[in-house]
Amino acid sequence: MTETYRTRSEEETEAIARVVLSLCNGTANTILLIGDLGAGKTAFVRGLVGATGGDPQDVSSPTFVLMQEYAGDMTVYHVDLYRLRPEEVVDFEPQIHDLIDRGGIVAIEWADRLPAPYDGALQVRIEDQGDDDRLLSVERVTSETASRA
Ligand code: ADP
Ligand code: MG
């Protein structure tokens, strides 16, 4: 099932991240973010960090690092695959799995570059609808959707 949300500002997208986090309520700790440059993926992560007691101002696009870690009541691991070539994504995947096993929240930008989405993860697709309008579609990855056509 897909839940959709419309936002009209960066702050609204941050607020939706809180809602999505409360919806997953401990049942998913991996959030796959998909959307073009400037869609609002990093803004969404900022919302996650604020919601888990971290400092949202620390969140930026990891320009030269693949992963940033934000401490809070729960640690948020922020992964950005943008700069990786497909074969580098494959090499990096074991590290992503290690992060997932640590039990914090793992948010992955450009998750459509993964060979396949992770079963049980929440997938958040953000589409720019012009101006500051964004459409967020949230769905849980299941074994059926995980084998991407
Ligand atoms: P991404 O990580 O997907 O490349 P960012 O979160 O870094 O995108 O940037 C999103 C940009 O779009 C920011 O400049 C932000 O101010 C702007 N923006 C405008 N409207 C929205 C919205 N509704 N939600 C999120 N960002 C928005
Ligand atoms: Mg980004």
Side-chain angles (χ1 to χ4, degrees), residues 7-25:
T7 67
R8 290 187 170 74
S9 68
E10 188 167 350
E11 292 71 27
E12 281 184 29
T13 293
E14 292 181 27
I16 293 302
R18 288 175 176 268
V19 172
V20 168
L21 192 65
S22 66
L23 286 180
C24 67
N25 196 23

Side-chain angles (χ1 to χ4, degrees), residues 53-73:
D55 185 352
Q57 291 191 340
D58 287 346
V59 180
S60 59
S61 295
T63 313
F64 296 111
V65 289
L66 292 175
M67 196 275 288
Q68 278 177 339
E69 192 175 325
Y70 308 105
D73 308 322

Side-chain angles (χ1 to χ4, degrees), residues 21-48:
L21 192 65
S22 66
L23 286 180
C24 67
N25 196 23
T27 61
N29 75 338
T30 307
I31 298 178
L32 306 177
L33 291 159
I34 299 175
D36 292 338
L37 264 185
K41 301 180 294 300
T42 300
F44 191 96
V45 174
R46 200 172 292 123
L48 292 176

Side-chain angles (χ1 to χ4, degrees), residues 31-42 44-45 79 81 107-114 116-118 122-128 134-139 141 145 148:
I31 298 178
L32 306 177
L33 291 159
I34 299 175
D36 292 338
L37 264 185
K41 301 180 294 300
T42 300
F44 191 96
V45 174
V79 174
L81 302 176
I108 306 171
E109 294 196 41
W110 298 95
D112 46 338
R113 299 186 176 196
L114 293 169
Y118 300 143
L122 283 189
Q123 181 165 282
V124 179
R125 189 177 291 277
I126 309 179
E127 287 168 76
D128 187 337
R134 301 289 189 274
L135 179 66
L136 284 75
S137 312
V138 181
E139 68 181 307
V141 178
T145 55
R148 199 182 265 143

